Amino acid sequence: MSLLEVEDLAIHFGGVKAVDGVSFAVEAGEVFSIIGPNGAGKSTIFNLISRLYKPTRGKIMFDGRDITPLQAHEIAPLGLARTFQNIELFDHSTVLDNLLMGRHTHRSTNWVQDMLFVPAVRRAERAHRRKVEDVIEFLELEAYRDKLIAGLPYGVRKVVEIGRALAVGPKLILLDEPASGLSVEESQEVAYWIEDMRRDMGLTVLMVEHDMSLVTQVSDRVLAVANGQPLAQGSPAEVQSDPRVMAAYLGTEVYT
Amino acid sequence: MKVIFKTSYDNDIDLHEDGWARGRIALLVVVMAALPFLVGEYYLAEAANTLIWSLAGMGLMVLVGHTGQASLGHAAFLAIGAYTDVALMNIGVPWIISFPLAGLATGLFGALVAIPAVRMSGIYLAIATLALFVIVEEMVILLEPITGGVGGLMAPSIEIFGVNFDRYTNLNNFYWLCLAVVVAVTWLYANLLRSPTGRSFLAVRDSEVSARALGINITRTRALAFGLSCGMTGLAGSLLGHYIAYFNYELFSVFISINLLLVVTIGGLGFIQGAFMGAILITAVPQLIAILRGTVNDLTGIDLSVLPGLDTLIFSAILIGFIIYEPAGLWGRWLKTRVWFQLFPLARRDMFRRQKSYLKTERQR
Ligand SMILES: Nc1ncnc2c1ncn2[C@@H]1O[C@H](COP(=O)(O)OP(=O)(O)OP(=O)(O)O)[C@@H](O)[C@H]1O
Ligand SMILES: [Mg+2]
């Protein structure tokens, strides 16, 4: 059984068929990438999986469970975390607090205990902090720990987004264009992190990315979409050389 | 510049970063507690008033400053707190029980109305809370047997284990009572902010999509924030009732709601300290204007009391000034000034200019 199974997924915004009949399955432990031109519907697929959007049609199975009827906040506790293409951090909080917010699904105390700050709250805070420090060490964010997000450079914010998703302690992590806007060196670092996530943390990665060298380097399998529809699926090399994919990117007709 | 060497995670978990900060707060509390021996009756009563406003301000701060929801109806929650407390005392419940019950009842009421209201945000929520205020005001007038209707009622004198805390006969005791309540609530509030619950409030305020993707139930979180906010405001309302002693529905006018919003915005949104700064300003400005009026009258013979809108004008000018020049409020200004002195002479002019956010155009709500 696959970790994530998407069956005939579709969402229509009025007349716009943003996603229209996409199916794929992500196996546990693999890195799966979705590619496609701008406006192809890649981010919309992510929003459907994280239940921010309600699909018009189709079904999403995660870890053997149908998550289509769930609400957005019920997804993370199952072990599914994500990043956002347009960076959705908590701007007025520090990096540390942003990462601690990622621990929300693991909270063990209620608001009454929190307000009285009973010893259990302190114990839980220490435990969350240790987890978050692991993430900080992994992503080398030590220098920014106490900085406010609002003053951070773009590249660092992208890394904090990945960190916050890792702090959730997920089985599956969705990365929406983790390398967009980053320098060559920075995207190389992202590539190493993705490999480490899979190898050392046992994570499954579903990624949307335009940077083909990153996709080829880390992905086991690739799905190409255009105009909300699937074009091709397979190894990075297969998909890249598929004539329909080339046509979608270059905007030419397919000659057969 | 002072650098704090952190040696354990507890440094970040503790309320105060070091012994100095803890000492400063302790000193402040001691000075506040000694105030009855330092100032006269008039100023002590004003100080009690400021404490009550700080409490109500903290209530609104939870909502506006920390969860990002607006409310134009908080005067209604002051009223509910005040009338519940007095109603309970009138049927013989001692204050020590009626007071927390008043807070609890107001909080529950707030959380209940929040459940439909939390789907709204911004201006819609502001209007909904304003409508709620109008309903509560009408209810107060209609429920004459409990509230005294238009004529109003007298708040009974507070007695705790035989000790009298009446605002007129034992002002010192009443002041200490207010101080104790404010210190306790401040402690609870500060704890909230360093805990997962407080972080979930900030998360909902700063990015709803992220909050949901991290497993935060927006509706529940907002209803909780609403409930806590109203609970604190209800406590303030009950103290306000005893402070004014004889009151009717007019005490809780819509101007009180607006003044409370001024307290949190001028004080500094998102800081507990801001509620105190704002409360000091809002209670001090009318006094300063009165003094100013007297001085102008003595010096020039012009009688400014023929200008009834002067207070409102000055308040509005202050508010507009803050929104334009210092959105972080009085507390934000103080923080910046402090950093400037710590770094002197190295502070740069553009140090606090926030970097523009990138790629925020496609934000989903
Ligand atoms: N909430 C929405 N309402 C209406 N249309 C939407 C909405 N969300 C997405 N769309 C439309 O769906 C299509 C796919 O958008 P999506 O953001 O998924 O593209 P993408 O593949 O992520 O592109 P990019 O590479 O630029 O990020 C676009 O035409 C977009 O305008
Ligand atoms: Mg996208």
Side-chain angles (χ1 to χ4, degrees):
Chain A
M1 188 185 58
S2 316
L3 185 63
L4 179 78
E5 273 174 74
V6 171
E7 272 173 48
D8 190 30
L9 196 62
I11 186 169
H12 303 168
F13 298 107
V16 182
K17 296 183 174 178
V19 176
D20 197 24
V22 171
S23 304
F24 60 92
V26 181
E27 305 302 325
E30 79 173 335
V31 177
F32 190 102
S33 293
I34 302 178
I35 62 166
N38 291 112
K42 307 179 296 292
S43 298
T44 308
I45 294 175
F46 272 22
N47 288 341
L48 286 166
I49 295 174
S50 46
R51 302 298 297 104
L52 292 168
Y53 291 166
K54 195 174 163 48
T56 313
R57 192 179 76 225
K59 190 165 135 185
I60 307 160
M61 299 281 291
F62 177 67
D63 211 7
R65 177 167 174 190
D66 185 2
I67 62 169
T68 332
L70 298 188
Q71 285 186 285
H73 66 263
E74 295 170 318
I75 301 300
L78 304 177
L80 206 164
R82 67 168 293 177
T83 67
F84 291 88
Q85 183 175 357
N86 302 322
I87 305 191
E88 286 282 347
L89 289 170
F90 307 116
D91 280 358
H92 304 283
S93 299
T94 61
V95 169
L96 180 62
D97 281 334
N98 267 270
L99 298 180
L100 284 170
M101 285 167 185
R103 300 292 303 162
H104 184 85
T105 53
H106 300 275
R107 65 179 289 188
S108 51
T109 53
N110 61 34
W111 61 274
V112 179
Q113 293 170 305
D114 280 0
M115 286 186 89
L116 295 170
F117 221 78
V118 295
V121 178
R122 182 177 292 270
R123 275 198 302 276
E125 284 295 285
R126 285 192 196 127
H128 290 321
R129 180 67 189 269
R130 275 191 288 274
K131 292 279 187 226
V132 160
E133 284 298 327
D134 290 344
V135 173
I136 289 178
E137 195 187 343
F138 174 62
L139 298 174
E140 291 162 22
L141 282 169
E142 290 90 347
Y144 304 102
R145 194 185 279 121
D146 294 323
K147 297 266 192 307
L148 286 181
I149 299 296
L152 290 181
Y154 179 76
V156 180
R157 292 186 207 198
K158 288 229 81 129
V159 179
V160 178
E161 272 249 342
I162 298 176
R164 191 178 60 183
L166 286 177
V168 174
K171 294 186 188 117
L172 172 67
I173 186 169
L174 312 186
L175 303 172
D176 198 347
E177 306 203 10
S180 74
L182 298 188
S183 68
V184 181
E185 294 78 18
E186 285 168 330
S187 24
Q188 190 52 49
E189 224 168 359
V190 171
Y192 291 138
W193 286 331
I194 292 175
E195 281 170 359
D196 285 348
M197 281 179 211
R198 174 182 30 192
R199 202 183 46 235
D200 301 340
M201 305 183 185
L203 279 186
T204 309
V205 182
L206 174 59
M207 171 172 81
V208 163
E209 186 50 65
H210 281 295
D211 180 348
M212 281 313 291
S213 69
L214 175 61
V215 170
T216 327
Q217 190 180 342
V218 301
S219 314
D220 297 305
R221 285 189 303 145
V222 177
L223 167 73
V225 288
N227 299 320
Q229 289 170 342
L231 286 183
Q233 194 176 323
S235 73
E238 281 163 18
V239 171
Q240 253 185 309
S241 57
D242 190 293
R244 281 166 303 176
V245 175
M246 289 182 359
Y249 271 97
L250 300 172
T252 51
E253 294 295 317
V254 184
Y255 301 104
T256 42
Chain B
M1 197 178 168
K2 189 166 77 173
V3 176
I4 292 162
F5 289 101
K6 297 180 180 170
T7 49
S8 98
Y9 295 155
D10 284 341
N11 287 112
D12 285 328
I13 298 172
D14 288 341
L15 274 179
H16 303 291
E17 54 189 10
D18 61 3
W20 283 108
R22 208 166 293 140
R24 276 202 305 272
I25 297 288
L27 185 68
L28 181 67
V29 173
V30 168
V31 170
M32 290 294 288
L35 210 59
F37 308 114
L38 304 174
V39 302
E41 286 244 314
Y42 178 78
Y43 285 104
L44 193 61
E46 279 307 309
N49 189 26
T50 308
L51 284 174
I52 295 170
W53 273 92
S54 311
L55 185 56
M58 282 194 280
L60 193 59
M61 189 64 86
V62 175
L63 202 63
V64 180
H66 286 121
T67 330
Q69 293 173 278
S71 167
L72 277 175
H74 260 52
F77 302 114
L78 281 173
I80 293 172
Y83 284 114
T84 311
D85 184 30
V86 173
L88 287 171
M89 286 180 82
N90 279 339
I91 56 169
V93 180
W95 182 86
I96 194 95
I97 296 171
S98 71
F99 179 66
L101 278 183
L104 205 64
T106 319
L108 275 177
F109 181 77
L112 280 181
V113 297
I115 290 167
V118 286
R119 294 178 193 282
M120 294 179 256
S121 59
I123 190 78
Y124 301 101
L125 185 60
I127 292 171
T129 50
L130 187 62
L132 179 78
F133 164 75
V134 175
I135 295 170
V136 169
E137 193 180 33
E138 290 299 320
M139 292 291 285
V140 167
I141 296 172
L142 290 175
L143 288 173
E144 192 172 343
I146 300 170
T147 64
V150 180
L153 48 59
M154 179 84 195
S157 195
I158 300 174
E159 293 256 351
I160 304 171
F161 305 125
V163 183
N164 185 274
F165 288 83
D166 190 79
R167 175 243 189 284
Y168 286 106
T169 55
N170 279 310
L171 180 60
N172 287 4
N173 284 358
F174 181 75
Y175 169 81
W176 280 319
L177 190 67
C178 291
L179 183 63
V181 171
V182 167
V183 168
V185 171
T186 310
W187 181 72
L188 292 173
Y189 192 177
N191 283 343
L192 182 81
L193 290 186
R194 59 175 167 152
S195 71
T197 308
R199 284 197 295 265
S200 67
F201 286 7
L202 297 190
V204 168
R205 179 191 71 185
D206 287 348
S207 171
E208 268 184 38
V209 263
S210 283
R212 288 160 73 196
L214 293 176
I216 296 173
N217 183 338
I218 303 268
T219 313
R220 262 242 299 278
T221 308
R222 282 187 159 176
L224 176 62
F226 228 99
L228 288 176
S229 166
C230 294
M232 290 187 202
T233 312
L235 292 180
S238 117
L239 286 179
L240 185 67
H242 288 284
Y243 176 76
I244 303 291
Y246 195 96
F247 59 92
N248 70 354
Y249 72 97
E250 283 175 353
L251 174 62
F252 311 101
S253 71
V254 71
F255 293 106
I256 299 286
S257 293
I258 293 172
N259 276 354
L260 270 179
L261 272 178
L262 287 184
V263 165
V264 295
T265 35
I266 295 178
L269 284 176
F271 302 102
I272 299 183
Q273 295 92 333
F276 286 89
M277 294 286 218
I280 292 170
L281 189 92
I282 213 96
T283 47
V285 164
Q287 307 293 330
L288 291 176
I289 293 175
I291 295 170
L292 180 84
R293 275 195 172 124
T295 320
V296 170
N297 202 354
D298 291 347
L299 289 179
T300 64
I302 302 169
D303 185 7
L304 285 178
S305 58
V306 296
L307 287 174
L310 191 63
D311 293 32
T312 321
L313 180 77
I314 291 179
F315 270 136
S316 318
I318 293 175
L319 179 66
I320 293 169
F322 267 100
I323 288 172
I324 296 176
Y325 297 108
E326 189 50 278
L330 283 170
W331 185 253
R333 175 91 326 245
W334 153 248
L335 287 181
K336 289 173 195 177
T337 314
R338 197 172 64 179
V339 171
W340 190 86
F341 276 109
Q342 282 172 341
L343 292 181
F344 187 82
L346 299 173
R348 285 175 291 114
R349 272 187 89 190
D350 57 352
M351 216 162 73
F352 300 106
R353 193 160 297 165
R354 235 200 277 123
Q355 201 181 335
K356 285 237 163 53
S357 292
Y358 296 89
L359 296 166
K360 274 284 185 189
T361 47
E362 291 177 60
R363 273 187 86 116
Q364 312 140 326
R365 275 199 58 91

